[in-house]
Amino acid sequence: MTEGILIGGLVVLGGLVAGYMKTHPFYRHKTQKHKERYQGKLQDALIQTYDATDAYWLSRAIADNIFDFGTRTYHDYHVERYEKKAKSERPHLFELHIEEPRILCEHLTERAVELKVPVSAFSMHMRYLWQEYLVPVGRLTPASVDRLPGSNPYVAELKNLPVSQEDMQIYMHKTGQA
């Protein structure tokens, strides 16, 4: 009898936790897996410089900023404490080679489609990431983003971002594509 009550309580508790996870903004999107994978790789790279706790929260703050297009999709006190440090760390991310730029571009375009990010906000965010050597834009935009369902306005905006020949050469040199 007691075992039945205990098992029933655990099932109910598990259902409540699963229901919470489905409604929490952190777990609501299918592209969350890309964000979590990026955050895990970044955490592994940052652990060389920071202690484990700081590396975790700093990687969360950076991944949130990159994958949520500079806006907050949920509030977390710990992540918000590290946002200022995340902004100072972002210009050095390309040196860590966390994700191949074309893959990151694909994931971010897919995320923008899912989150229904305004094209102007997407464009500005991708321009910042281009300047930090994290994603290709302009003529360097990967052809694979064209195949993503619903990505047409985002892809057009990526391809139309102005990029000089000199900027492309610097980008290719810094990302090791030269």
Side-chain angles (χ1 to χ4, degrees):
M1 178 75 173
T2 306
E3 293 170 349
I5 292 173
L6 182 61
I7 291 172
L10 288 174
V11 168
V12 169
L13 183 61
L16 290 172
V17 169
Y20 174 73
M21 287 179 66
K22 288 179 183 175
T23 61
H24 191 280
F26 192 72
Y27 299 102
R28 187 173 28 198
H29 307 290
K30 291 179 183 176
T31 55
Q32 184 66 26
K33 64 182 179 261
H34 300 313
K35 181 177 169 182
E36 290 174 2
R37 196 174 310 122
Y38 186 86
Q39 187 251 324
K41 290 177 181 179
L42 181 57
Q43 179 183 355
D44 291 343
L46 291 175
I47 211 148
Q48 308 299 323
T49 310
Y50 299 96
D51 67 48
T53 303
D54 287 343
Y56 174 78
W57 290 111
L58 184 56
S59 66
R60 280 277 299 270
I62 291 170
D64 283 356
N65 184 275
I66 290 173
F67 280 83
D68 295 339
F69 303 94
T71 61
R72 303 283 308 144
T73 58
Y74 68 97
H75 293 285
D76 185 326
Y77 166 76
H78 298 292
V79 172
E80 290 166 5
R81 281 186 25 218
Y82 285 88
E83 284 180 339
K84 189 175 183 180
K85 181 66 179 163
K87 287 183 183 185
S88 67
E89 197 69 39
R90 261 190 46 186
H92 309 289
L93 285 181
F94 79 93
E95 297 167 349
L96 299 176
H97 304 288
I98 302 302
E99 189 73 78
E100 187 179 332
R102 94 179 154 73
I103 300 284
L104 184 58
C105 185
E106 290 172 17
H107 291 171
L108 291 174
T109 305
E110 184 180 357
R111 182 118 170 131
V113 170
E114 182 179 24
L115 295 178
K116 296 177 178 68
V117 174
V119 174
S120 59
F122 174 78
S123 175
M124 189 177 343
H125 186 69
M126 296 302 271
R127 184 172 312 174
Y128 289 137
L129 295 178
W130 158 258
Q131 292 168 347
E132 294 171 354
Y133 311 109
L134 294 176
V135 296
V137 298
R139 289 180 290 184
L140 297 175
T141 301
S144 56
V145 295
D146 283 327
R147 293 186 289 271
L148 297 172
S151 67
N152 292 342
Y154 300 105
V155 173
E157 194 64 30
L158 278 177
K159 289 181 177 181
N160 290 330
L161 284 173
V163 177
S164 70
Q165 188 68 27
E166 181 182 345
D167 288 341
M168 283 195 315
Q169 289 174 346
I170 292 170
Y171 172 84
M172 293 177 79
H173 175 71
K174 295 237 183 199
T175 59
Q177 297 178 20

